[in-house]
Amino acid sequence: MLQVKNLTVTHKKDLTTLVEGLSFVLSPGDRAALIGEEGNGKSTVLKLLYDPALAEPYVEWTGEIVDKGLRKGYLAQELTPDELELPVWEFCQQVPAFEEADPKALDRAARQVGLGADLFWDGRTMSTLSGGERVKLRLALMLLDSPDVLLLDEPSNDLDLATLEWLEGFLLNCKVPVLYISHDETLLANTANVIIHLERLRRRTVSRCTVSRMGYEQYVEQRQAGFAHQEQMARKERADFDAKMEKYRQIRDKVDHQQATITRQDPHGGRLLKKKMHAVQSIGRRFEREKENMTAMPEWEEAILTAFDEGRSAFPAGKTVLRLDLPELTAGERVLSQNVRLWVDGPEKIGIVGANGVGKSTLLKLVAEELLPRADLRSAYMPQDYGDLLLGDRTPVELLAPSGHRDDVTRARTLLGNMKYKAEEMEHPAAGLSGGQRAKLLFLSMVLNGANVLVLDEPTRNFSPLSAPVIRRVLADFPGVIISVSHDRLYLEQVCTRVVELTENGLKEV
């Protein structure tokens, strides 16, 4: 059993309180989903629970984590640059449980995640594996240690649809408690039985933690119904209060007028009016106390707000965007797929699916390399790994307004505010932001550039369940062309006009 008591987490740089007063208990059978907007401290909480040293360089924390004797399995959201450059076999050898495991145990762990056991001994660097292969490999290595509790930071990222279904089954049948972060709403709906919601209200200055022992869809429904009921009560109480106050003001004004017009020749009447005014003022003070105890209007963290300029991003119907014919799709010396034909006309929205390792991101990178230089298009590319685009110490404002001109800076700050960035976060180095905040930043750069062709590798993977519906709606309404890779089942359904599957023998319609 893992127990957290009154955990409060504060960012060292700007003293922002990320989490305040979080308490919960994880028991066998619990599948607890940690949800919340980007930058609210979800990954930081997981790091603190696994090993406080991972988070202490940038946050301070108080409270108590009761985990004595627990063997914890931790899946980080991303690998470090050094880890990405290691050969696969060397990366595996850094895990003590791998060194101690016999061939049967290795084979069993590999089969659990849908890998061949030979991958453990692969000589390729970790960076050359697909995102899904890396996640599966790390999950397999974690399972070798037979952990008592699992702490998973975005395990659903980069998994193909078949492996997502496997992950759902794995979570549902897991005998040990699991605390996981995921932005996949379908996965949350199908697996979570405990919801831990981290919010930052009042312009991200006040933290609120909610722990509910129920499924995700039930939590969302009850939360919305609760807010609606609270708002109804609050409005009724305010209307009743306003009516009473109006009556009170009329009485007070009448007594005040009588006091002002009474003559000195009527001292007895003056004393009575003075006494009456004291009584009226007493009623006013009682009303003020009632006001303090009225039901508060509900507060919730608002979703992000953004949209593309329809005029700049519109794309002519039927105009040729891409005619890509590849006899072979390769990664190094490996042939991933053959006879790949991808033809796109405006304003299609293409979703590419396929098994992990088949070369979807490789194909999308080739698409980006062909489209980005074209003068007749305004193309933008969001890769799976944002690091290449957000290197260095530049801040979000500097990235969005490289000119430094006052008007450009003002517009950048306005857009960042719409994406729920605090003023302090606008000045943080972009490379140190959370995955979700970096995704927002790349999204905003596309909006600012007026792109009419978007090449997107897993566009919703780092957006919270609160923000992802907004992003899907914006992309569904986007008047231009989208060529994307995604395993987000809701994205494929709501955004894409055509879905194709990449196989070893090319692309096929789904």
Side-chain angles (χ1 to χ4, degrees), residues 209-246:
C209 307
T210 305
V211 179
S212 297
R213 304 194 71 81
M214 62 182 67
Y216 177 70
E217 289 180 327
Q218 184 185 3
Y219 171 72
V220 172
E221 289 173 4
Q222 286 199 8
R223 172 181 163 86
Q224 291 174 341
F227 283 157
H229 178 66
Q230 182 181 345
E231 183 174 0
Q232 184 181 28
M233 286 185 60
R235 290 190 184 281
K236 184 178 185 307
E237 289 177 10
R238 279 158 178 73
D240 292 345
F241 178 80
D242 289 344
K244 286 196 299 186
M245 285 299 293
E246 178 58 30

Side-chain angles (χ1 to χ4, degrees), residues 3 8-9 106 120 127 165 174 271 290 300-301 348 359 402 427:
Q3 187 171 7
T8 296
V9 184
L106 292 174
F120 290 126
S127 62
E165 292 177 0
C174 195
R271 286 194 297 271
E290 287 180 13
W300 57 84
E301 193 167 22
E348 287 188 290
E427 303 302 330

Side-chain angles (χ1 to χ4, degrees), residues 167-328:
L167 180 61
E168 289 179 3
F170 171 79
L171 291 173
L172 289 170
N173 294 298
C174 195
K175 304 301 182 186
V176 300
V178 185
L179 176 62
Y180 66 99
I181 299 169
S182 179
H183 296 155
D184 187 316
E185 293 154 86
T186 306
L187 179 74
L188 292 172
N190 291 344
T191 60
N193 59 12
V194 180
I195 303 298
I196 301 172
H197 191 173
L198 307 183
E199 297 178 272
R200 292 168 68 189
L201 310 172
R202 301 177 198 171
R203 297 185 179 272
R204 297 174 63 79
T205 60
V206 176
S207 299
R208 179 171 71 190
C209 307
T210 305
V211 179
S212 297
R213 304 194 71 81
M214 62 182 67
Y216 177 70
E217 289 180 327
Q218 184 185 3
Y219 171 72
V220 172
E221 289 173 4
Q222 286 199 8
R223 172 181 163 86
Q224 291 174 341
F227 283 157
H229 178 66
Q230 182 181 345
E231 183 174 0
Q232 184 181 28
M233 286 185 60
R235 290 190 184 281
K236 184 178 185 307
E237 289 177 10
R238 279 158 178 73
D240 292 345
F241 178 80
D242 289 344
K244 286 196 299 186
M245 285 299 293
E246 178 58 30
K247 205 175 269 188
Y248 160 74
R249 280 190 289 268
Q250 290 175 0
I251 295 172
R252 185 195 60 194
D253 291 346
K254 182 178 179 181
V255 174
D256 193 47
H257 176 72
Q258 289 173 340
Q259 282 187 317
T261 57
I262 195 170
T263 64
R264 291 186 179 182
Q265 284 72 33
D266 187 8
H268 178 68
R271 286 194 297 271
L272 288 176
L273 286 175
K274 189 174 182 181
K275 189 175 181 182
K276 190 173 183 180
M277 178 57 81
H278 281 312
V280 170
Q281 290 173 336
S282 177
I283 293 172
R285 288 191 291 271
R286 177 162 58 81
F287 284 173
E288 288 300 321
R289 289 194 295 271
E290 287 180 13
K291 184 179 180 180
E292 292 175 2
N293 295 322
M294 282 195 302
T295 301
M297 291 293 287
E299 290 186 89
W300 57 84
E301 193 167 22
E302 295 179 356
I304 57 178
L305 175 65
T306 189
F308 286 90
D309 184 323
E310 290 193 15
R312 296 183 68 197
S313 297
F315 201 92
K319 177 180 176 178
T320 297
V321 179
L322 181 67
R323 293 289 185 266
L324 184 65
D325 290 287
L326 297 173
E328 290 184 337

Side-chain angles (χ1 to χ4, degrees), residues 281-492:
Q281 290 173 336
S282 177
I283 293 172
R285 288 191 291 271
R286 177 162 58 81
F287 284 173
E288 288 300 321
R289 289 194 295 271
E290 287 180 13
K291 184 179 180 180
E292 292 175 2
N293 295 322
M294 282 195 302
T295 301
M297 291 293 287
E299 290 186 89
W300 57 84
E301 193 167 22
E302 295 179 356
I304 57 178
L305 175 65
T306 189
F308 286 90
D309 184 323
E310 290 193 15
R312 296 183 68 197
S313 297
F315 201 92
K319 177 180 176 178
T320 297
V321 179
L322 181 67
R323 293 289 185 266
L324 184 65
D325 290 287
L326 297 173
E328 290 184 337
L329 176 65
T330 61
E333 297 181 356
R334 289 177 64 203
V335 177
L336 303 173
S337 182
Q338 296 179 321
N339 302 317
V340 177
R341 185 185 199 190
L342 182 60
W343 288 20
V344 182
D345 297 319
E348 287 188 290
K349 297 182 174 70
I350 310 296
I352 302 172
V353 300
N356 288 130
V358 76
K360 300 183 298 297
S361 293
T362 302
L363 174 61
L364 205 67
K365 189 173 183 181
L366 291 176
V367 170
E369 289 173 354
E370 179 160 332
L371 297 183
L372 289 173
R374 281 176 48 179
D376 62 324
L377 306 174
R378 290 189 303 280
S379 301
Y381 175 43
M382 176 186 278
Q384 199 176 101
D385 182 2
Y386 309 145
D388 294 341
L389 301 181
L390 299 176
L391 294 174
D393 295 327
R394 287 182 298 172
T395 67
V397 172
E398 290 169 339
L399 285 164
L400 295 181
S403 68
H405 294 158
R406 183 175 178 179
D407 289 347
D408 293 343
V409 169
T410 299
R411 188 180 180 202
R413 286 186 171 277
T414 300
L415 287 170
L416 287 165
N418 289 343
M419 283 289 198
K420 308 308 174 191
Y421 274 79
K422 287 181 60 182
E424 297 88 342
E425 291 168 337
M426 297 179 193
E427 303 302 330
H428 285 183
L433 297 172
S434 72
Q437 288 172 307
R438 284 180 282 164
K440 289 178 179 179
L441 191 52
L442 290 180
F443 208 85
L444 284 178
S445 70
M446 291 189 255
V447 172
L448 279 171
N449 293 335
N452 59 10
V453 178
L454 307 181
V455 183
L456 309 175
D457 198 344
E458 296 286 359
T460 59
R461 70 193 289 262
N462 281 311
F463 286 104
S464 77
L466 186 65
S467 295
V470 179
I471 294 298
R472 290 197 299 268
R473 188 162 57 249
V474 169
L475 292 177
D477 293 339
F478 178 64
V481 174
I482 298 175
I483 305 172
S484 59
V485 168
S486 181
H487 298 130
D488 180 341
R489 288 159 279 189
L490 292 176
Y491 171 86
L492 295 170

